[in-house]
Amino acid sequence: MPLTPPATTDPDGGNWQTVVLRSGVGVPAPAAVSSDAYQRELTAVKNGLAGTTPEQNTAVTYWAYGGVQRWNQIARQLIAKYNVMPAYDAATGRYAAYDVAKPMSDAPFAARLLAYLSVAQYDALVMTWRAKFQYNRPALERQGVQPRIPVADVPSYPSEDAAVAEASYQMLTFLFPNEADWLKAKATEHKQSRVWAGACVPSDLQAGETLGATVATSVVSRARTDGFAQAHDPANTWPTLLARAPYDTKWQSLEIPARAPVLPLAGSVQTWFDATAVGRTAPGPPPATTSPAFQQALAEIRTISDTRSREQWRIADFWSDGVGSYAVAGHWNRIAEELIQQTAQNELRAARTYALLNRALHDATTVTWQTKYRYFVPRPSQIDARIKTVALIPNSPGYPSNHAVSAASAAVVLGHLFPGDASKLTGQANEAGLARVYAGTNYRFDVDEGAKTGAAVGKIAADWSKADGAK
């Protein structure tokens, strides 16, 4: 897609409601544009435009796509890299212990990661916009510099790209500590690319970097205490939850050898929206295995297993989002990226879109996990071993379908932000839910009840955005 200037500049963006920050974060007043120090910076940038190397030009073009979106892509890339099966040691008969330096980026981890990254970017950019229009240092293009790429016509101090780069680098390093050096190099390239492009001077970068680091510290502090550190159940309490579950036939691992379920305590992680409201969206009890409703649902999966069409197979595969992928949340971030590009959202708007979407996806996943480990409903092939699936069977209870919950929440949020695409998004969400029925990993009631939950969580998020100050 060709590079285009952002459709809006949102000069009031500095007044939008932040998510984690409860007070403003500022930067010192910049040197006057008439000062010798600033004029030296400006001259150096002008002179440097003629001497950029091919490597620098490549970096300029890469980051001109949008820093918020590039860091989202990087996050998805890392999710896929770490979305692996746990290592099993046949000699000891044990799976590898949880390692924070090499986290397994399954569905709850991916949803949480994307939420934190997006919130850090968004809060940093709200503060950046506030400072930009407080100090009003003119964009370089207004001072005779011809940038190599389309640049938003907003004040240059502090640099929005430096703020995004630093906040993103620090958040992703917290979540993937083994990737710190690589992430640092990407952040350095991102910041410097804006000078090579003629979009800002070094003092703009320095202020943005300081602001981004300050915001990231606040967001990381929340992440340290949100309860996710216990989500993998280090005390191995899940058998007690299983024994207490009010369901007539209990879930069991179908893996060989069997292992503990995925993140049994992820349903206790702090939500982004009102926890009580989010908790109310949880579905009620599923039909008992002895009920006609359950037997009908089971029979449908068995029939699909025996007669699955090529189209059903294609849909199941497209939405599988299993091992090696950037997970369900990442899939919907990819869809959001297309909408952001089509509407030419500026960096602040793009960050708002992702922050709203990913908080909804996180809370939708959290309530899903609460419900999964309340009932421990078995997957279809546990009840009927003749059922063949076309996707890896998740090592977690089936009710409700996380695909359906996440998809419905995403469709409501994105449909609210991009109303012209609402019908298409609803159709995509419906297909994503049905994909699990076609795959043979979920009953239809997993999907139907999950879609209701997801839509309700999405509405909570959409309602929040109606009062955040953005027009």
Side-chain angles (χ1 to χ4, degrees):
M1 185 170 290
L3 298 174
T4 56
T8 62
T9 56
D10 291 311
D12 62 342
N15 297 321
W16 294 1
Q17 184 177 348
T18 50
V19 178
V20 169
L21 296 180
R22 292 293 174 264
S23 60
V25 174
V27 290
V33 294
S34 58
S35 68
D36 291 343
Y38 182 76
Q39 287 300 315
R40 283 195 294 273
E41 287 190 302
L42 194 61
T43 299
V45 170
K46 289 178 179 176
N47 294 338
L49 287 175
T52 51
T53 67
E55 291 77 14
Q56 290 170 339
N57 290 334
T58 298
V60 166
T61 303
Y62 174 83
W63 290 105
Y65 183 78
V68 167
Q69 293 170 84
R70 286 300 189 201
W71 282 104
N72 186 278
Q73 292 174 352
I74 289 169
R76 283 186 268 138
Q77 181 179 348
L78 290 174
I79 288 170
K81 177 179 178 179
Y82 285 84
N83 189 356
V84 297
M85 298 289 286
Y88 176 72
D89 187 339
T92 62
R94 293 182 177 179
Y95 285 97
Y98 184 80
D99 183 352
V100 295
K102 295 185 290 185
M104 286 181 289
S105 55
D106 37 39
F109 181 94
R112 175 176 178 261
L113 178 153
L114 290 166
Y116 274 109
L117 173 65
S118 302
V119 166
Q121 292 175 338
Y122 171 71
D123 278 9
L125 284 171
V126 171
M127 292 298 105
T128 300
W129 246 248
R130 184 175 299 181
K132 279 180 179 294
F133 288 92
Q134 175 185 359
Y135 297 121
N136 275 312
R137 174 183 273 184
L140 270 60
E141 194 167 7
R142 289 178 175 268
Q143 301 180 71
V145 177
Q146 185 60 49
R148 305 173 73 88
I149 52 173
V151 176
D153 185 18
V154 295
S156 67
Y157 180 94
S159 161
E160 63 269 41
D161 285 87
V164 167
E166 188 64 21
S168 302
Y169 153 66
Q170 296 209 15
M171 286 309 309
L172 292 178
T173 296
F174 170 72
L175 295 160
F176 293 110
N178 279 0
E179 304 291 342
D181 291 344
W182 181 71
L183 292 166
K184 181 69 173 178
K186 298 297 286 186
T188 300
E189 179 189 84
H190 180 188
K191 296 169 194 170
Q192 204 57 42
S193 74
R194 303 304 285 180
V195 175
W196 299 332
C200 68
V201 299
S203 57
D204 297 330
L205 290 184
Q206 185 176 4
E209 181 178 291
T210 300
L211 196 153
T214 303
V215 172
T217 298
S218 296
V219 181
V220 166
S221 293
R222 184 192 189 276
R224 291 187 189 282
T225 59
D226 69 358
F228 194 84
Q230 302 299 310
H232 66 285
D233 194 16
N236 200 37
T237 63
W238 73 269
T240 302
L241 299 176
L242 178 68
R244 293 175 179 170
Y247 200 61
D248 56 345
T249 300
K250 307 293 179 62
W251 172 87
Q252 61 184 9
S253 175
L254 299 179
E255 296 192 5
I256 302 174
R259 64 183 173 98
V262 174
L263 298 175
L265 303 185
S268 299
V269 177
Q270 182 181 0
T271 57
W272 290 97
F273 300 105
D274 179 76
T276 301
V278 172
R280 288 197 193 103
T281 68
T289 59
T290 54
S291 67
F294 183 93
Q295 291 301 319
Q296 182 179 354
L298 180 64
E300 179 186 21
I301 303 302
R302 175 66 192 282
T303 299
I304 290 172
S305 170
D306 292 344
T307 63
R308 187 177 285 117
S309 68
R310 291 178 66 86
E311 179 64 3
Q312 289 172 331
W313 195 299
R314 182 196 66 78
I315 292 171
D317 185 59
F318 179 78
W319 294 100
S320 62
D321 299 324
V323 171
S325 75
Y326 35 69
V328 176
H331 197 145
W332 283 96
N333 274 253
R334 178 68 184 86
I335 291 171
E337 179 182 324
E338 294 176 4
L339 297 170
I340 289 168
Q341 280 291 312
Q342 289 169 10
T343 51
Q345 290 191 338
N346 63 46
E347 289 290 79
L348 177 59
R349 285 252 166 205
R352 175 176 178 260
T353 295
Y354 279 129
L356 195 65
L357 169 67
N358 286 318
R359 281 183 291 152
L361 284 167
H362 174 270
D363 285 6
T365 305
T366 300
V367 75
T368 300
W369 251 246
Q370 289 173 4
T371 309
K372 283 181 180 291
Y373 294 100
R374 180 178 300 138
Y375 297 109
F376 281 90
V377 174
R379 300 278 178 175
S381 49
Q382 178 183 327
I383 302 297
D384 183 348
R386 295 169 294 179
I387 290 174
K388 300 179 180 64
T389 66
V390 296
L392 189 68
I393 303 171
N395 194 50
S396 62
Y399 180 80
S401 160
N402 185 51
H403 279 65
V405 179
S406 297
S409 67
V412 170
V413 170
L414 293 176
H416 167 66
L417 297 176
F418 304 96
D421 291 278
S423 296
K424 178 183 176 183
L425 289 160
T426 300
Q428 289 175 307
N430 291 339
E431 184 177 277
L434 273 177
R436 305 310 281 171
V437 174
Y438 296 156
T441 56
N442 284 92
Y443 310 101
R444 189 173 288 268
F445 62 76
D446 294 339
V447 172
D448 290 345
E449 293 304 311
K452 294 176 186 174
T453 292
V457 174
K459 184 176 185 306
I460 292 171
D463 287 346
W464 187 94
S465 75
K466 293 175 183 175
D468 69 0
K471 299 176 183 175

